[in-house]
Amino acid sequence: MNTFSNILIDGLAYGMVLFVIAVGLSVTLGLMRFVNLSHGAFAMVGGYCAALLTRELQWSFWLAVPLAVIATGLLGAVLEATVLRHLYRRKELDQVLFTIGLTFVLIATTNALVGPQVQMVQLPPSLAGSIDLGFRTMPAQRLLVIGAGIAVALAAAWTVTQTRFGIWLRATVDHPGTASSLGIPIRTVQCLTFAAGAALAGLGGVLGAEVMPLEPYYALKYLVLVLVVVAVGGMGSIPGSLCAAILLGLIETASKYLASDWGSLFFFAAMAIVLAWRPNGLLKR
């Protein structure tokens, strides 16, 4: 039972980290229909910003995290407004080649400025300890990750489906000419959506720094995992990405506890089985 509870808690926390990073990419791919393979680099940037602020400048964790998320969102907005906007109408191959090249540029820049060593986000005492849940103790940081994942899922789903901005986003993608004639600010919607996706990736990079170590090749090392979550959940489906992230996080964690010699074999086997059963994703109609 102790092993089972560890798998459940660690797998849920790992899945929530994958979801927070992947949800922005799911929106970018599924709703904006832009293939952004530099998404993992934004997660790395957010994690590095929080690590440097908490460790080098001795800033409070609760102040450093929002600033790191905002900085990552601003970086995404600047790149979208100056460069990436020109790729929206280009072929998918052009988008793939450019964004993967952007990833290598950010990796090289990070390595040159900070170095190749792993970066650690300094946790406050309130998150460094454990919390007694009655039936067992749980690391406070894991509880924060799970709570943040649930909050992001609810906020993202509400924004896309229940707000005027969500309607503008869907209209901008599906019928840009009609949306523009109705007065919808298409460029503003596109820029804000991309910036929000980058900011969520940055938040995931901060929250997952303990389970997904921050180093210069982070952007490529974990990009495949995020793409798998988006594919299994269904592009553009926020509930699908949440279900896929939790499912795959539990499978990956269980394989590490019970069959560590097999690495991530079960993770990718589960991906193949789900996509063979539901080619468009778990909850994608």
Side-chain angles (χ1 to χ4, degrees):
M1 287 301 296
N2 186 50
T3 301
F4 176 78
S5 63
N6 287 338
I7 291 174
L8 183 62
I9 292 173
D10 291 345
L12 186 58
Y14 182 50
M16 285 301 186
V17 170
L18 291 177
F19 167 73
V20 173
I21 298 175
V23 66
L25 182 59
S26 180
V27 170
T28 304
L29 279 172
L31 296 182
M32 295 183 67
R33 295 165 192 169
F34 175 66
V35 184
N36 177 28
L37 296 189
S38 62
H39 194 76
F42 291 115
M44 177 187 69
V45 169
Y48 265 75
C49 287
L52 294 176
L53 288 174
T54 56
R55 195 184 69 253
E56 300 296 334
L57 301 181
Q58 299 297 310
W59 283 27
S60 165
F61 175 86
W62 305 110
L63 178 61
V65 172
L67 287 177
V69 172
I70 292 172
T72 309
L74 289 176
L75 175 63
V78 170
L79 289 174
E80 193 279 340
T82 57
V83 180
L84 299 178
R85 57 174 295 191
H86 302 292
L87 296 172
Y88 288 154
R89 297 186 180 276
R90 300 293 291 270
K91 295 180 179 179
E92 288 82 359
L93 180 59
D94 295 338
Q95 297 173 357
V96 167
L97 293 176
F98 186 88
T99 54
I100 201 69
L102 177 61
T103 297
F104 280 109
V105 169
L106 291 174
I107 288 173
T109 303
T110 301
N111 194 37
L113 293 177
V114 185
Q117 63 272 17
V118 174
Q119 303 294 318
M120 300 297 296
V121 177
Q122 191 71 34
L123 296 176
S126 58
L127 294 179
S130 298
I131 296 177
D132 189 358
L133 300 178
F135 60 94
R136 64 153 294 160
T137 58
M138 179 179 179
Q141 191 269 347
R142 297 283 194 276
L143 193 61
L144 173 67
V145 170
I146 294 171
I150 294 172
V152 168
L154 294 175
W158 177 77
T159 300
V160 172
T161 61
Q162 302 295 325
T163 66
R164 181 179 296 273
F165 183 83
I167 296 173
W168 284 2
L169 172 59
R170 298 196 301 275
T172 296
V173 172
D174 292 334
H175 300 283
T178 304
S180 179
S181 67
L182 291 173
I184 295 176
I186 293 179
R187 282 294 309 126
T188 301
V189 171
Q190 291 172 333
C191 186
L192 288 177
T193 303
F194 192 90
L200 287 175
L203 176 61
V206 177
L207 295 177
E210 290 197 0
V211 294
M212 300 164 66
L214 294 165
E215 42 92 14
Y217 283 93
Y218 177 104
L220 292 176
K221 187 176 181 181
Y222 299 110
L223 176 62
V224 174
L225 301 181
V226 175
L227 288 172
V228 168
V229 170
V230 173
V232 171
M235 290 188 296
S237 173
I238 294 172
S241 295
L242 177 61
C243 293
I246 293 175
L247 173 64
L248 295 172
L250 289 171
I251 292 174
E252 173 83 352
T253 304
S255 67
K256 289 181 178 179
Y257 271 91
L258 305 176
S260 58
D261 294 338
W262 291 89
S264 297
L265 174 64
F266 294 102
F267 181 93
F268 293 106
M271 174 200 71
I273 292 170
V274 171
L275 290 179
W277 168 50
R278 300 279 293 176
N280 293 324
L282 283 174
L283 301 183
K284 186 72 172 179
R285 291 181 296 178

